[in-house]
Structures are given as C-alpha cells and as structure tokens.
Amino acid sequence: MVVFFYVKAMVGLVLAFLISVPSMVAYAGNLYQDVDVTWGDGRGKILNNGQLLTLSLDHASGSGFQSKNQYLYGKFDMQIKLVPGNSAGTVTAYYLSSEGSSWDEIDFEFLGNLSGDPYIVHTNVYTQGKGKREQQFYLWFDPTADFHTYSFLWNPAHVVFYVDGRPIREFSNSEGTGLEYPNKQSMRLYSSLWNADDWATRGGRVKTDWSQAPFTASFRNLRVNGCVWSNGASSCNSSSSGKTWLSQKLDATNQKMLKWVQKNYMIYNYCTDIRRFPQGLPLECTVRTETS
C-alpha cells in the first residue's frame, strides 16, 4: 500500500504541475513581531533572528504559539516542515480560532504516522462552537522533507484551504439558507504540536513512540494580509481597494485544481459519511461546496 501511495504521489505531482504552476510568493516579516510562543516551557523557540520557529513535543509537554493580532477576514500563509520519521500519535495543528464557548475555528491538523506511511491532512470548520465538518486528504509530496506553504483564505464569501497555492477545500457562506458562517468573531492564528495518540493515528491504535522524542516541527515565512481587529473595530474600511483577497473567488482554473485534489487525494468527507449520519446528511452538504 505504501508503494502504491508513493507511485500515485509521483503521478499526482506531475499532474498538479500540468494543471497549474502557482507563482512564487515573496515573503517578509519577522516572527518576533508577528507571534508569541505561548506555552511549552521552552519547547517553542524563535530562531535565526526571527526567521524560523520550532515547536517540540516530548513526554512532558508539547508547545504552541499564537499571532499577536486578531483578525476578521484575511489571507494567511505559513511554510511548515512537519515532524519527520515515526511521528505516530502526534498532531501538528495550524488554525484560526476565536474565544469563548461558541467559538469559530478553521483548522489544518496534520496527523502523524509510522515511518514511511503518509501524513493525513485533517481539515475542519467550526461555527458557533459546532464542528464535525471534517475532510481529510493525503498529500502529493513528503511534507517532512522540506517546507511547504499551507494557507487559509477567509473572506465574506468563503473559506478556502490551500496547499502550495492549490485549493483543496472550499467552505462557502450560505447564510441565506439559515446556515452559520464564521464572520461574527475575530480570530487569532495559532499553531501547536501535541500528543493525541488516543485518536490521531489509525484511530488511536498506534501510540506515540516516546523513544523518538523530542518531535519537532518547523515554521517560517508567515505572511498575513488581513483585517486587524482591535478595540471592536476592523482595520479594513468599506473599500477593498488593494485587498484583492477580500473578494477573491475560485476561478475556473482553481475550480479544476480543487476537483483534481478532491478526486485523487481526499480520503474522508463528512458529507458522504452515511453511517455517521444515519438520519440524513447535514443540510449544508447539499447547499455548500462540500462534496467532491
């Protein structure tokens, strides 16, 4: 199965480039200025004069950071190199979240696996404290060998998850049908590395091998184009001039890439899980762009 996955991955990589080769993004900024390491007792470190951040996990604790600013809409890009080797039981999370019991959240969670097996990219969206909107994917490359860019586009029309500039999931605003959308609460950008061996790898059947610790994930080149939320007001005015991301939609080329990724690399979609929803699939599955 592993051989099959890597053959498929190589074919997929070629197809991806045939579909589109995204333009390179110029990054700037200093992580000292953009984020705070918030927990981990020294396991989270900003290095290289603010150009690199590492999070580590050992038997005692994981670690995490959060953005200094809160945002109400934005485009968020981060280059991440995931935990190499036997990462079973570990989760590297990269997400946007508000606070409180009725929170909004937009998630990337990278589920570790045994050496040689593929990572699972777990995505989810919470609105008003309600989630259970999971979609999962394999990747068409080894995410531990080098840095790759993982992005959220969050604007009034939709949330789009990107990997290296290619959309893998779109969660549309369907408030007109009475469905919730994350647009009422500001959110911070967070990341953490933690132990979740009760569920992360093969449903919790494979546990963390602590002899491999410390586990380390690396982060660099955070780029945020967003509406900063401060003192109850947004930094974005009524004009979206210079903020193309605020009204950005998926054009025909990106729609084609989205369908390609979902056809070839999606391994779970809550909108097709009849066993999980025996009384009927969630209404949003027929309204939003949530099916492959």
Side-chain angles (χ1 to χ4, degrees):
M1 179 177 178
V2 173
V3 173
F4 170 77
F5 168 78
Y6 280 110
V7 170
K8 181 178 179 182
M10 292 302 296
V11 173
L13 183 59
V14 172
L15 289 174
F17 276 97
L18 290 175
I19 291 173
S20 174
V21 180
S23 59
M24 297 298 291
V25 177
Y27 290 91
N30 186 303
L31 289 166
Y32 281 118
Q33 300 171 357
D34 298 329
V35 304
D36 293 313
V37 176
T38 49
W39 64 283
D41 194 23
R43 293 172 180 82
K45 299 178 181 179
I46 300 177
L47 307 167
N48 298 352
N49 296 316
Q51 300 306 301
L52 178 70
L53 190 154
T54 60
L55 296 180
S56 292
L57 163 70
D58 58 29
H59 202 283
S61 177
S63 50
F65 67 84
Q66 69 181 43
S67 63
K68 292 181 183 291
N69 290 324
Q70 299 181 54
Y71 303 90
L72 186 60
Y73 302 134
K75 178 69 162 51
F76 306 83
D77 304 296
M78 173 72 86
Q79 290 188 324
I80 305 173
K81 182 162 65 173
L82 297 176
V83 175
N86 182 358
S87 57
T90 71
V91 172
T92 304
Y94 165 61
Y95 61 104
L96 294 164
S97 182
S98 62
E99 299 177 348
S101 59
S102 297
W103 75 100
D104 292 341
E105 187 171 318
I106 303 166
D107 291 344
F108 269 114
E109 289 184 303
F110 304 96
L111 312 187
N113 218 326
L114 294 170
S115 298
D117 286 352
Y119 261 81
I120 291 176
V121 180
H122 179 97
T123 67
N124 203 354
V125 178
Y126 286 78
T127 56
Q128 299 295 306
K130 297 178 181 179
K132 298 183 178 180
R133 301 183 178 100
E134 301 93 344
Q135 289 184 355
Q136 295 182 339
F137 305 83
Y138 287 140
L139 293 169
W140 47 94
F141 54 82
D142 178 358
T144 72
D146 202 351
F147 286 90
H148 291 267
T149 303
Y150 303 92
S151 308
F152 302 106
L153 169 65
W154 171 38
N155 67 24
H158 57 184
V159 172
V160 184
F161 297 75
Y162 293 88
V163 176
D164 284 340
R166 296 178 176 87
I168 66 169
R169 179 178 184 180
E170 180 184 28
F171 183 85
S172 301
N173 185 343
S174 299
E175 286 184 306
T177 64
L179 297 173
E180 294 286 350
Y181 182 74
N183 58 5
K184 301 175 181 65
Q185 303 180 73
S186 61
M187 296 196 270
R188 291 186 191 272
L189 182 69
Y190 295 86
S191 189
S192 59
L193 175 57
W194 51 290
N195 179 48
D197 66 3
D198 57 334
W199 67 273
T201 305
R202 299 182 186 176
R205 295 189 297 276
V206 180
K207 302 300 182 180
T208 303
D209 180 359
W210 293 109
S211 70
Q212 305 295 315
F215 305 96
T216 301
S218 301
F219 304 78
R220 70 183 187 188
N221 292 336
L222 172 62
R223 180 177 180 179
V224 179
N225 291 307
C227 300
V228 176
W229 187 264
S230 180
N231 297 319
S234 170
S235 63
C236 297
N237 54 34
S238 58
S239 171
S240 60
S241 176
K243 302 179 182 65
T244 56
W245 56 266
L246 196 53
S247 57
Q248 182 178 333
K249 298 181 180 180
L250 295 182
D251 60 17
T253 299
N254 278 278
Q255 288 284 0
K256 186 176 181 180
M257 285 194 287
L258 176 68
K259 292 178 180 178
W260 176 82
V261 171
Q262 294 194 344
K263 178 181 178 180
N264 291 282
Y265 292 99
M266 179 184 282
I267 59 173
Y268 177 79
N269 184 358
Y270 76 107
C271 280
T272 61
D273 193 344
I274 299 174
R275 181 178 299 181
R276 183 181 181 187
F277 302 104
Q279 304 304 316
L281 295 172
L283 174 62
E284 62 200 55
C285 292
T286 62
V287 175
R288 289 193 172 105
T289 309
E290 286 283 75
T291 55
S292 57

